[in-house]
Amino acid sequence: MCYKLFLLVSILLSPLASAAQSHYQLGVGSTNILDTYLSQEKFYGIGLSMLYTREHYKDSCRWSTEWQHQLHTSTADDRADNASLLEGMYKLYSGCYYRLTSSSSKGICNPRTLQLYVGALANVGLGMIYNTRNGNNPVQARLGLQIMPSVKATYPLRLFRHAAMLRYQADLPLVGVVFSPNYGQSYYEMFSLGNYDHNIVPTTFISAPNFRQQLSLLYTVSPKFTFSIGYLGDYQQQRVNNLKQHLYDHAVMIGIAKNM
């Protein structure tokens, strides 16, 4: 119901937007993975992140909408270099923001003052982790839905006589629901034998204290195109069904944004 509500609000507000920005980013960085269903060890490796952001806004309206598609894949090894994990995750973020400060500028990359936004995102995630050494239960599926309060801030700059902007965004989970096997339960029991054991688990910011942040410097190279460089930190963790998981990603991102 919460996701449908945010989707409905996004659809209703989209016609109000007179301008939009599409931002494509690609990044690489470090990954730290723990999933006690597959192993008690922590795994460290390299991850690749792809992020597409679509923002709709209107200078005369304080409301704006945002869509983000995030794809992450990584490979990681344990400390003894005896086993490896292959991980992949797709996440969709959709939500609305309210601008707390006034604006008299035209264009998302040319505000005249610090701009502050508060809002909320619905986050749907689907992925998997594969342990190359496990003969029994080698795969862990990842599926969940979260409602996340979010804040954004933008600040104008002038670099080499061109307009630029610093942009920061932080997202925190409030409530959600995730899929998880129970401790000692196999996927064969769940899907072949139909033995349900508390596999759909409600979560809160206590049992799943995730955090995601983005910091970008956007540099305008033309009225239509903007170059960006920044940082994406995605820290996912949860403790449900006597199992512990975390996936910490740090990535340097580069990209280009198109103003419309």
Side-chain angles (χ1 to χ4, degrees), residues 8-19 56-58 65:
L8 177 61
V9 173
S10 297
I11 294 174
L12 291 176
L13 288 177
S14 292
L16 298 176
S18 62
H56 291 268
Y57 56 93
K58 187 176 182 180
T65 62

Side-chain angles (χ1 to χ4, degrees), residues 117-176:
Y117 304 80
V118 295
L121 299 171
N123 168 31
V124 180
L126 175 64
M128 54 79 68
I129 302 176
Y130 173 69
N131 190 319
T132 60
R133 285 289 300 272
N134 283 10
N136 187 32
N137 294 336
V139 178
Q140 169 70 302
R142 303 176 64 209
L143 176 63
L145 166 66
Q146 290 183 320
I147 302 301
M148 310 180 72
S150 180
V151 295
K152 290 195 299 185
T154 61
Y155 186 75
L157 297 170
R158 295 289 296 183
L159 293 177
F160 307 108
R161 297 183 180 180
H162 285 266
M165 183 180 73
L166 279 174
R167 181 187 185 277
Y168 178 76
Q169 178 174 334
D171 313 315
L172 291 165
L174 182 62
V175 294

